Amino acid sequence: MVDRQRGADADNDEALDRVFAALSDPVRRRLLSRLDGEALLVKELAAPFNISVQAVSKHIQVLVKAGLVRQERSGRVSRCRLDAGPMYEAALWVNRYSKYWQDQFDTLALWLGAAERPKRKRNSRRQS
Amino acid sequence: MVDRQRGADADNDEALDRVFAALSDPVRRRLLSRLDGEALLVKELAAPFNISVQAVSKHIQVLVKAGLVRQERSGRVSRCRLDAGPMYEAALWVNRYSKYWQDQFDTLALWLGAAERPKRKRNSRRQS
DNA sequence: TTGATATTCAATCAGACGGTTGACTAAGAG
DNA sequence: CTCTTAGTCAACCGTCTGATTGAATATCAA
């Protein structure tokens, strides 16, 4: 029974643990990459790998528990959809250290401009 | 003997594995947080935790292997210094999904301006 | 109904992980 | 030299992890 002291330190966040742990595996990172833009079935997700479908299924469960993937089952198949929301906290965490990449600051600003942001609306995000 | 297919996929990066794995533990995240700005000794790093110094030392070794911390020993003590360089790749990776946080885009732009950037370099290529 | 397909569950296994205690090396302090 | 301090090394332990194989559960097709 470890005394947890929850909330005392914002970094002691189990959700963040799960997100970073989920991202620490190359298979899961590839899964997330493939789910960027399209929702796929387990079978489709498993196809490129030479590990068993069960292993991929377990990887997906890890992603689900991290909140990065949602599965909606319809009939026999289970369509997996990306939910990048929990990754935001992780991004905030690592970006706190962006000051140390000042050299690559241009590159850092680059994805801000290059990542799907077709035109910079000068005002107002177009809230979906 | 797994055929690795190294380089075929940029996401299959063991360095990235180690960085994300290092970040997946709250103790190590707190260590990194405390090393942000000042270099500390192992003893000083271990003080706030109620785990043994050896355990903290092992955590530091994990950070060192991930390239996030460098240790320079002078005499008896070992001063630990943050090296956020390897975190940059991790930041690039998660930031690829920033388009999904469009709602929090303001916050995302916030750390760009608000994160410890007290005085920008006077020559400062910040002409957007 | 029969059979193939999609996915998960269950048991198992080797190895990594996070923690402990105890011993060790090496450097300062007396 | 002796004692203490800083840090790591080594062995151990319980749990988690990533993978396997085999069985179970549903769903769809014939």
Side-chain angles (χ1 to χ4, degrees):
Chain A
M1 218 173 287
V2 189
D3 63 325
R4 272 280 173 182
Q5 215 163 338
R6 295 178 58 79
D9 192 9
D11 290 341
N12 192 358
D13 191 358
E14 296 180 17
L16 211 45
D17 292 9
R18 281 191 288 267
V19 170
F20 278 128
L23 296 179
S24 72
D25 187 283
V27 171
R28 289 193 289 263
R29 285 200 303 276
R30 284 180 60 190
L31 290 174
L32 289 177
S33 291
R34 295 202 47 223
L35 287 177
D36 185 0
E38 54 180 352
L40 296 172
L41 306 182
V42 175
K43 183 197 174 188
E44 298 170 323
L45 283 169
F49 300 98
N50 53 2
I51 60 178
S52 67
V53 185
Q54 291 95 319
V56 175
S57 178
K58 288 209 281 184
H59 277 297
I60 294 173
Q61 298 319 310
V62 172
L63 292 171
V64 168
K65 287 193 180 80
L68 294 168
V69 163
R70 258 172 306 161
Q71 270 179 306
E72 37 193 82
R73 202 151 189 177
S74 73
R76 199 159 40 155
V77 300
S78 175
R79 180 152 265 111
C80 301
R81 193 175 309 278
L82 174 66
D83 180 3
M87 224 184 293
Y88 173 64
E89 247 186 287
L92 273 190
W93 205 93
V94 296
N95 286 333
R96 282 171 44 199
Y97 297 86
S98 61
K99 55 187 169 186
Y100 293 105
W101 321 314
Q102 291 288 357
D103 328 346
Q104 294 103 320
F105 207 162
D106 307 322
T107 315
L108 190 62
L110 195 130
W111 59 258
L112 260 181
E116 175 134 349
R117 206 178 43 155
K119 292 294 182 192
R120 138 178 44 196
K121 316 273 282 254
R122 49 237 172 277
N123 67 349
S124 80
R125 45 33 191 1
R126 40 72 148 85
Q127 52 222 5
S128 69
Chain B
M1 219 173 290
V2 189
D3 62 326
R4 272 278 173 184
Q5 215 164 338
R6 295 176 59 76
D9 192 9
D11 289 341
N12 190 358
D13 191 358
E14 297 181 16
L16 211 45
D17 292 9
R18 282 189 288 267
V19 170
F20 277 127
L23 296 179
S24 72
D25 187 283
V27 172
R28 290 193 289 263
R29 285 201 303 276
R30 284 180 60 190
L31 290 175
L32 290 176
S33 291
R34 295 203 47 223
L35 288 176
D36 186 358
E38 54 180 352
L40 295 172
L41 306 183
V42 174
K43 184 197 174 188
E44 297 171 323
L45 283 170
F49 300 98
N50 53 3
I51 60 178
S52 67
V53 185
Q54 291 95 319
V56 175
S57 179
K58 288 210 282 185
H59 277 298
I60 294 173
Q61 299 317 310
V62 171
L63 293 171
V64 167
K65 287 193 180 81
L68 294 169
V69 163
R70 259 172 306 161
Q71 271 178 306
E72 37 192 83
R73 204 151 187 179
S74 72
R76 201 157 40 153
V77 300
S78 174
R79 180 151 265 111
C80 301
R81 192 175 309 277
L82 173 67
D83 181 3
M87 225 184 293
Y88 174 64
E89 246 186 287
L92 274 189
W93 205 94
V94 295
N95 286 334
R96 281 171 44 197
Y97 297 86
S98 62
K99 55 188 168 187
Y100 293 104
W101 319 315
Q102 292 287 357
D103 325 349
Q104 294 103 323
F105 208 148
D106 307 322
T107 316
L108 189 61
L110 196 130
W111 56 259
L112 260 180
E116 174 135 351
R117 214 177 34 153
K119 51 182 84 167
R120 42 237 179 264
K121 314 271 264 306
R122 56 244 171 268
N123 68 356
S124 92
R125 80 272 258 148
R126 63 196 269 279
Q127 73 283 14
S128 54

